[in-house]
Amino acid sequence: MDQRALKELLFEALEQPPHQREAFIVSRCGDDTGSFLRVTDLLRAHERAEGHFERQERVVPDTPARQPREIAGRRIVRVLGEGGFGLVYLAAESEPIEREVALKVIRPGHASGDVLARFEGERRVLGLMNHPSIAQVYEAGTTEEGAPYVVMEYVAGVPITVYCRRENLGLRERITLMERTCLAIHHAHQKGVIHRDVKPSNVLVTESDAGPMPKVIDFGIAKALEQTSLATHALAPDLTRTRQVIGTPQYMPPEQASGGAGGIDTRADVYALGVLLYECLAGAPPFDPARLARASMGELERIIREEEPPRPSVRVGKLGETEEYAKRSRQLRGELDWIVGRAMEKDPARRYPSAAAMAADLKRWLEGRAVEAGPVSGLYRVKKVISRRRLEFSGGLLILLLILSGSVVSLVYASRANDARLLAVEGERATKRELAKYEQITDFTQSMFEGIDPSFARGTDTALLAKILEDAKTNLESKPPEDPEVSGTLRLMIGLAYRSIGDYDNALPLLEQADAGMGRALGPTAPRAMEAQNALAVVLAETGRFHAALPVLERVHRNREAAFGSTDDRTLESLGNVGTVRGSLGLYESAAEAHRAVYEARRQKNGDDDAATVFSLNNLAMAYQGMGRHQEALEMLDRVIEVQGRLLGSDSPRLLATRNNRAGILNTLHRIDEAIREYEEVLEAKRRVLPRAHPSLLSTMSNLAGLYKRSGDLDLAMPLYEDALRRAREGLPEADVRTATIAMNYAEALRDGDRLQEALPLFEEAEAVVRLSLGADHPKALIARVQHAAAIGAAGDTTSATERLDELLPVARTQVRDDGSFMLTLLDAAAEIRELGGELEAAISLLEERYARAVEFTGADGKSARSSAERLARLSAALGRVEEQRIWSERALGLEPVSGGGS
Amino acid sequence: MALRAAQSDPKRAEELIGMVYDQLRSIAQARMSHERVGHTLQATSLVNEACLKLLGDQGQRFEDRSHFFRAAATAMQRVLIDHARAKNAAKRGGDLPEQERRRLPLDVVDLATEADPTQILALDDALRTLEREDAEACEVVRLRFFTGLSVGETATILGISERTCARDWAFAKARLAELLSDA
């Protein structure tokens, strides 16, 4: 929040009645705890300042001029609160006893005959209520001017949520307060009164001799009055104002949001109590207040009716990363999550039948007995959808599948809101509505898995999931649903789930089928068909099949452009993907062209200072880097880093990734010291913000160590490798490929540092792990095998080394696709072994193969081509082949074009 | 006169402030001889009178008034601070340099506040901090505090909306209270 926004918020808070200010700030700050603390500090300071500066202040800006001196015989002290339909004053009574009361009076113009009639009926009921946690209604009547009023007990308390936070209450105390609140509401229900506006500012906590006591205020008044004012205000142009007035979409049950006033009963209050409990437990409301504030009326209704908020334990875990939050999250997980979930069920019939039942469950928790609520909410929903779908999936299996695929699917479903609109336009077929439900499930599962890095899930124990996916796949193939969209979507989801565990062999065919099936049935430009295309292309690219991925991505881009227009975010995202894959294929010019188009479009749309704009600038820079225009690339990245630092903060993962790229360019430019410094800073930030064995942290450690190694600083490289390896062994699953990769890099450093004997076991370990988890013929396994073989050769056992080599090279030549650099590494090591074994001819032929591939991959001027030529020159010299030596030497120096002298 | 050029030229602005400073002192002195000690002078009327004396009818022009009040705020601030320094130094045994001592504006003793001089000095420090953090809010508080202008008048002088002015004022008060309680 910038200075201006901060001042504005403080000022607006000061315009609220004092006891509502903190709650107001909470509602505006949402998860932004930093801003919340800053503004509340200022608020407190402002209160202190009032005394200090009073003398100088001539005008008191927030005293309304219209404040009357007296209403219904009570002296008006000041305004307590203000709503669309009326005002609440603090008033002083002298009879029957001297006391302060709250006096609520209806604004002229809001008192229609209808309102008055209901108001009167309600008044009698209110008089009957007598509960220590309900603000007593003393009197109701009509002023001389004809405005209805109510005189109530004045409660000098603070909103329950504010109280919990301010007093830093423990869990038990919070729940005790909520239990009492539930009982108070239940008392009212028994008298036939529904509150309808249960929210923090209407549940105040006062301190009595018996400890903190909640007091429910504003009882029933809301019901009598808001019926008409809701409709009136919905038409008012100033929507923010309207929201302040009706105030509480956050606490509004779905049945009320849809406007069916007839369907509202006491369970509406149970829902609101659930939200209140949520907020007391999690420290933040279930729905992001900022988002609710932005949403249109229709969107608001959709959120309230359809969206499942994260469970309190998940929400609290996202508020902060300290141990305190983690502990609170653990305390909430399970029973308290369930209680909140039960109270907040979208379907009233599934909620607690009464506020008393909710109180009873809270009491059970307090007494350590098993609660009645169970973990049914989310599962029930999924089951319900499945039963509607009438597919014979095993419910439990599909649920797990959905949960596990959630985090991935979300990527593809990122644009679901727009797609949903398109679907509605295309026709309201029942299946499509059901698919919309699917998206909700995705939402739900996504919220459960939010914050988990999908790459982190890879390498974890996936055996169970693999089994589940296998079952799901078999089911799907044996009984494919008739509707092509349904079957296609299921294939898409299962395929994506496979992708999330790195099982590309299973993912790919499913995604191909999903793409083909939906393309045929729905047309290639149907949103869901495009999702399938996109997913397929992404998986192709991730598996290094760039040549195959590119046309698909280009197709997705064309289709999206046709469907959404050329400047739509989804179209631009596709074009960006096209650019990135072109870059991977070494087509840097056309990659730059794509990225530049994306960049210019985003600039037009969002301006220069925008995260998306500079992200495409980063991509453009990487294409320039590929074209050899390092200096320009570097300047672009500097700009990206400047903007990202400002917008996202210095620890944001995106910024760190950009700086990582910058370090790479510096390295290419042989500005090694700067590259090292950049990596060091990135590493420092990552050490701070990431868990100790986060893959991204480990990879930076390994990269930096590699750079140290190349710059000859083995003393710096070794401990870093060692540290990374230790972290990987502790934090990653056993026998993990990433651990093996670090072990291998470390082993190479040890080997280069003449510590071959220490390197050997690490090479051996790396080879074993990679073989085990990826298979002996996987490219990575081939690398590990060849490196190990080379080390064995270097240690003197050239026979064993040569045997190993003969076994793997033929496989490598047939297996390895596309990725040229990989084959270069392999041939390099292989040649080394031959050379060590004295087989210079064999070494030469391997190096010639390497040279040819290098030229193909990065051109004759590339580093790999030259290093191959250099070694060939050396070997030719050793064999006395002068002419060949001359040719290779010149090639190594870049003096002569590739043999044949053509291009 | 210095006024017109003060906007762009810091040296001229300094001249203007000096003029207002002298004027403020002399008006205060004159008032003090008529009104008994113990009567607190109103900053606003003081500044208004100084404005009239210095500008005459020109004082009706908006730009002139705007420059004048800004200068007046600075001048008044100095008056107060010099006074507080002197008083503070006197309390500690008076080890201020000779020159400072001669400038003691004893004639505005009762000017704006009976506050402890250390408080005034702390306020000066706090204002400097606030100026670095939020120059706009600082200008609002200086105008209001040292010339006694209302929110509406301050807004007019600064050419900002009344709401912005009230907002900056609220923030500045809160921030100053924080800074002062930290000190």
Side-chain angles (χ1 to χ4, degrees):
Chain A
M1 193 175 286
D2 65 13
Q3 177 77 5
R4 212 188 139 85
L6 191 99
K7 287 194 280 190
E8 187 60 34
L9 180 52
L10 174 69
F11 190 60
E12 282 176 30
L14 286 166
E15 289 177 320
Q16 309 296 317
H19 71 277
Q20 286 177 9
R21 284 173 185 170
E22 207 164 321
F24 173 79
I25 298 170
V26 173
S27 77
R28 292 282 295 273
C29 288
D31 286 346
D32 184 355
T33 322
S35 297
F36 166 75
L37 291 173
R38 185 71 199 102
V39 178
T40 42
D41 280 352
L42 283 170
L43 191 65
R44 254 172 249 132
H46 190 273
E47 280 157 16
R48 288 202 305 276
E50 288 296 64
H52 204 104
F53 292 94
E54 212 160 18
R55 209 183 1 241
Q56 299 296 326
E57 196 170 1
R58 238 174 35 181
V59 182
V60 183
D62 38 14
T63 308
R66 60 179 179 279
Q67 180 175 318
R69 188 161 296 176
E70 203 183 271
I71 296 175
R74 277 90 176 172
R75 188 170 58 80
I76 298 304
V77 181
R78 61 185 163 93
V79 176
L80 285 175
E82 195 173 342
F85 51 85
L87 282 159
V88 186
Y89 295 105
L90 175 63
E93 270 185 351
S94 49
E95 288 180 4
I97 47 165
E98 280 198 21
R99 65 180 174 190
E100 291 193 313
V101 296
L103 194 151
K104 186 163 189 166
V105 63
I106 284 75
R107 273 190 178 152
H110 286 275
S112 68
D114 190 29
V115 170
L116 292 180
R118 259 181 295 153
F119 190 69
E120 174 56 22
E122 199 101 37
R123 187 186 66 78
R124 290 199 203 104
V125 185
L126 286 172
L128 293 174
M129 284 202 290
N130 181 15
H131 190 277
S133 280
I134 293 179
Q136 183 80 34
V137 173
Y138 298 135
E139 185 194 309
T142 326
T143 64
E144 283 168 21
E145 293 81 31
Y149 70 86
V150 191
V151 181
M152 288 174 291
E153 177 184 352
Y154 170 59
V155 182
V158 294
I160 183 166
T161 46
V162 175
Y163 187 84
C164 289
R165 189 171 40 240
R166 199 185 67 192
E167 302 296 318
N168 200 13
L169 290 192
L171 213 48
R172 296 190 64 82
E173 288 134 315
R174 289 174 192 231
I175 288 169
T176 307
L177 280 178
M178 275 306 298
E179 187 211 347
R180 288 189 184 150
T181 308
C182 289
L183 288 173
I185 298 280
H186 182 67
H187 174 83
H189 288 172
Q190 284 179 313
K191 305 281 179 189
V193 182
I194 308 167
H195 191 294
R196 280 181 194 254
D197 199 16
V198 175
K199 57 180 176 181
S201 56
N202 280 340
V203 180
L204 306 180
V205 178
T206 57
E207 283 177 340
S208 67
D209 297 338
M213 175 66 82
K215 288 261 187 188
V216 181
I217 60 168
D218 242 11
F219 232 107
I221 311 291
K223 182 182 180 182
L225 299 173
E226 281 189 0
Q227 293 278 297
T228 44
S229 56
L230 235 172
T232 323
H233 284 288
L235 298 172
D238 186 355
L239 285 177
T240 19
R241 179 98 193 122
T242 308
R243 275 200 205 108
Q244 273 171 12
V245 173
I246 56 174
T248 45
Q250 187 73 258
Y251 295 86
M252 190 180 284
E255 64 269 25
Q256 193 172 337
S258 38
I264 296 176
D265 57 23
T266 53
R267 290 171 300 186
D269 283 349
V270 172
Y271 177 90
L273 284 167
V275 180
L276 199 61
L277 177 62
Y278 187 114
E279 208 171 337
C280 286
L281 297 179
F287 300 106
D288 177 12
R291 189 164 153 243
L292 291 185
R294 276 196 310 270
S296 67
M297 281 301 208
E299 175 70 2
L300 210 53
E301 192 187 318
R302 193 195 66 75
I303 294 173
I304 295 170
R305 289 178 55 185
E306 297 176 4
E307 270 191 24
E308 290 288 349
R311 288 163 299 151
S313 63
V314 174
R315 182 77 203 251
V316 87
K318 282 193 292 187
L319 293 178
E321 286 188 350
T322 59
E323 176 54 27
E324 199 190 323
Y325 287 107
K327 187 179 152 212
R328 172 61 67 88
S329 174
R330 281 195 298 277
Q331 288 174 326
L332 299 183
R333 204 172 300 152
E335 294 191 317
L336 291 173
D337 276 344
W338 299 340
I339 293 176
V340 170
R342 176 89 189 269
M344 285 181 66
E345 281 280 0
K346 302 282 188 206
D347 177 0
R350 299 192 55 83
R351 283 176 210 148
Y352 288 109
S354 68
M358 181 173 170
D361 234 9
L362 289 171
K363 193 164 183 220
R364 279 188 206 101
W365 187 90
L366 286 168
E367 290 169 354
R369 291 183 287 140
V371 304
E372 197 190 277
V376 285
S377 171
L379 304 188
Y380 157 78
R381 227 164 291 283
V382 177
K383 277 185 197 148
K384 200 166 72 176
V385 173
I386 290 164
S387 69
R388 274 207 210 128
R389 197 172 299 285
R390 288 183 297 278
L391 288 176
E392 290 169 3
F393 277 101
S394 151
L397 291 183
L398 189 57
I399 290 151
L400 269 167
L401 156 68
L402 289 169
I403 289 168
L404 281 151
S405 60
S407 53
V408 184
V409 174
S410 67
L411 301 172
V412 181
Y413 279 67
S415 54
R416 78 193 156 270
N418 290 311
D419 290 353
R421 259 205 304 282
L422 271 178
L423 277 178
V425 175
E426 282 169 17
E428 291 200 347
R429 283 168 45 195
T431 46
K432 300 200 171 163
R433 276 202 300 277
E434 288 192 3
L435 283 166
K437 291 279 177 197
Y438 237 118
E439 291 174 348
Q440 282 173 45
I441 301 167
T442 323
D443 264 5
F444 168 72
T445 51
Q446 181 195 346
S447 71
M448 294 179 68
F449 266 65
E450 224 166 11
I452 293 183
D453 184 352
S455 71
F456 207 60
R458 226 166 285 170
T460 50
D461 183 10
T462 52
L464 175 65
L465 180 64
K467 174 82 182 70
I468 291 164
L469 289 174
E470 185 61 39
D471 287 351
K473 196 173 98 170
T474 316
N475 268 327
L476 179 63
E477 301 311 335
S478 61
K479 288 177 189 173
E482 277 173 29
D483 186 300
E485 188 170 359
V486 175
S487 63
T489 304
L490 289 173
R491 286 202 175 89
L492 175 62
M493 295 187 72
I494 299 173
L496 284 168
Y498 269 122
R499 168 188 176 253
S500 73
I501 57 168
D503 185 345
Y504 290 112
D505 293 340
N506 273 309
L508 205 56
L510 280 165
L511 294 176
E512 278 166 353
Q513 287 166 22
D515 174 40
M518 288 205 278
R520 233 183 355 257
L522 309 171
T525 53
R528 205 165 296 276
M530 286 194 274
E531 278 169 20
Q533 282 169 25
N534 195 41
L536 173 62
V538 166
V539 166
L540 285 169
E542 279 178 356
T543 50
R545 277 164 261 201
F546 301 120
H547 285 296
L550 188 55
V552 185
L553 281 172
E554 285 171 341
R555 180 157 51 98
V556 176
H557 171 241
R558 272 196 309 278
N559 288 337
R560 283 189 169 171
E561 190 169 27
F564 311 126
S566 61
T567 56
D568 184 272
D569 281 336
R570 287 159 291 180
T571 312
L572 293 176
E573 186 206 343
S574 279
L575 187 54
N577 286 343
V578 167
T580 304
V581 169
R582 282 178 183 163
S584 305
L585 284 169
L587 305 167
Y588 299 118
E589 308 276 347
S590 65
E593 196 184 305
H595 287 312
R596 178 173 296 286
V598 178
Y599 171 59
E600 293 299 344
R602 292 218 163 116
R603 265 180 83 181
Q604 287 285 322
K605 263 176 78 170
N606 312 334
D608 279 318
D609 275 1
D610 173 81
T613 305
V614 293
F615 183 64
S616 38
L617 184 57
N618 168 70
N619 290 339
L620 182 59
M622 295 324 286
Y624 268 61
Q625 153 84 343
M627 285 152 73
R629 292 162 73 169
H630 307 302
Q631 198 54 46
E632 286 157 279
L634 203 57
E635 279 158 23
M636 289 179 193
L637 287 188
D638 285 341
R639 160 103 190 113
V640 176
I641 288 166
E642 189 264 319
V643 176
Q644 284 180 334
R646 207 148 26 82
L647 295 182
L648 310 173
S650 62
D651 285 347
S652 99
R654 280 225 158 152
L655 173 61
L656 295 178
T658 312
R659 295 187 61 187
N660 218 60
N661 292 342
R662 182 171 187 272
I665 296 183
L666 290 169
N667 187 20
T668 319
L669 288 170
H670 299 292
R671 288 157 67 173
I672 304 293
D673 289 348
E674 286 167 81
I676 286 178
R677 208 174 318 129
E678 188 80 277
Y679 268 130
E680 282 172 344
E681 282 175 30
V682 171
L683 180 60
E684 198 211 313
K686 284 187 177 174
R687 272 191 213 264
R688 213 168 40 238
V689 299
L690 296 176
R692 43 177 285 116
H694 192 278
S696 159
L697 169 64
L698 295 179
S699 97
T700 301
M701 290 176 87
S702 183
N703 285 350
L704 177 58
L707 209 54
Y708 283 147
K709 190 184 108 184
R710 274 193 292 288
S711 68
D713 268 331
L714 281 177
D715 289 348
L716 285 172
M718 296 295 189
L720 198 52
Y721 274 132
E722 212 179 320
D723 186 14
L725 186 59
R726 195 171 43 242
R727 285 164 185 257
R729 282 190 171 139
E730 284 165 16
L732 297 179
E734 216 161 297
D736 189 89
V737 178
R738 288 161 299 191
T739 314
T741 309
I742 295 168
M744 198 155 76
N745 291 338
Y746 183 29
E748 285 173 42
L750 287 168
R751 179 196 63 202
D752 296 348
D754 289 330
R755 290 157 68 180
L756 194 58
Q757 290 310 317
E758 289 167 69
L760 272 172
L762 286 176
F763 277 125
E764 193 176 342
E765 176 195 339
E767 183 187 334
V769 168
V770 180
R771 261 179 190 258
L772 194 70
S773 38
L774 301 176
D777 295 343
H778 189 278
K780 272 202 165 162
L782 293 173
I783 290 260
R785 287 167 68 186
V786 84
Q787 293 284 24
H788 186 207
I792 290 173
D797 189 352
T798 47
T799 324
S800 165
T802 312
E803 267 168 30
R804 285 164 181 265
L805 201 62
D806 288 340
E807 192 186 321
L808 69 88
L809 258 182
V811 186
R813 288 202 182 91
T814 55
Q815 282 284 309
V816 178
R817 280 168 290 197
D818 286 334
D819 191 345
S821 68
F822 163 74
M823 204 55 206
L824 297 180
T825 312
L826 207 146
L827 289 166
D828 182 39
E832 179 105 15
I833 294 174
R834 297 290 189 200
E835 192 184 335
L836 282 167
E839 299 176 61
L840 298 192
E841 291 288 356
I844 283 178
S845 95
L846 285 169
L847 283 172
E848 279 171 350
E849 185 182 343
R850 183 175 194 263
Y851 178 80
R853 281 182 187 261
V855 169
E856 187 191 336
F857 191 60
T858 50
D861 273 348
K863 221 170 86 182
S864 304
R866 288 196 187 188
S867 75
S868 304
E870 195 184 314
R871 287 174 62 189
L872 280 162
R874 194 164 44 76
L875 291 175
S876 306
L879 290 172
R881 296 174 185 164
V882 182
E883 180 55 18
E884 283 169 35
Q885 185 206 349
R886 186 188 61 77
I887 293 171
W888 286 120
S889 299
E890 280 170 1
R891 282 179 181 161
L893 294 169
L895 291 178
E896 194 209 46
V898 191
S899 66
S903 52
Chain B
M1 68 176 300
L3 194 56
R4 206 60 55 79
Q7 191 174 23
S8 52
D9 185 345
K11 228 169 120 189
R12 294 284 182 80
E14 194 54 39
E15 244 170 70
L16 174 63
I17 291 165
M19 254 160 55
V20 180
Y21 180 96
D22 290 342
Q23 195 64 40
L24 285 173
R25 283 176 57 195
S26 74
I27 296 168
Q29 200 166 28
R31 291 261 197 103
M32 293 309 252
S33 59
H34 294 296
E35 300 172 34
R36 276 324 310 151
V37 184
H39 186 109
T40 303
L41 290 178
Q42 275 277 314
T44 321
S45 68
L46 199 61
V47 173
N48 267 325
E49 198 175 327
C51 180
L52 255 160
K53 285 213 166 141
L54 280 168
L55 303 179
D57 292 340
Q58 286 174 30
Q60 298 311 308
R61 277 173 41 104
F62 166 72
E63 295 101 287
D64 292 347
R65 278 181 62 82
S66 171
H67 292 148
F68 178 79
F69 270 91
R70 285 167 186 238
T74 308
M76 186 66 93
Q77 188 177 359
R78 282 190 198 167
V79 169
L80 277 171
I81 284 155
D82 289 347
H83 172 56
R85 277 206 190 113
K87 214 164 133 188
N88 205 25
K91 247 169 51 181
R92 288 195 316 248
D95 53 359
L96 276 181
E98 201 54 28
Q99 197 190 1
E100 285 275 341
R101 200 174 298 197
R102 247 183 282 120
R103 279 185 61 200
L104 285 189
L106 282 170
D107 40 4
V108 283
V109 165
D110 291 320
L111 180 65
T113 170
E114 314 82 50
D116 184 336
T118 53
Q119 271 188 3
I120 295 284
L121 296 178
L123 176 69
D124 187 44
D125 277 350
L127 280 171
R128 278 176 223 275
T129 309
L130 179 64
E131 185 164 24
R132 276 196 305 276
E133 291 174 359
D134 193 329
E136 291 151 27
C138 185
E139 193 62 18
V140 168
V141 84
R142 275 168 21 79
L143 276 169
R144 295 219 53 206
F145 201 82
F146 294 116
T147 71
L149 289 176
S150 72
V151 169
E153 289 161 345
T154 307
T156 312
I157 292 288
L158 291 175
I160 57 179
S161 77
E162 203 160 314
R163 186 181 166 82
T164 304
C165 185
R167 193 191 68 191
D168 282 355
W169 169 242
F171 167 75
K173 269 198 301 190
R175 184 67 188 121
L176 287 175
E178 272 187 345
L179 289 166
L180 289 171
S181 65
D182 285 352

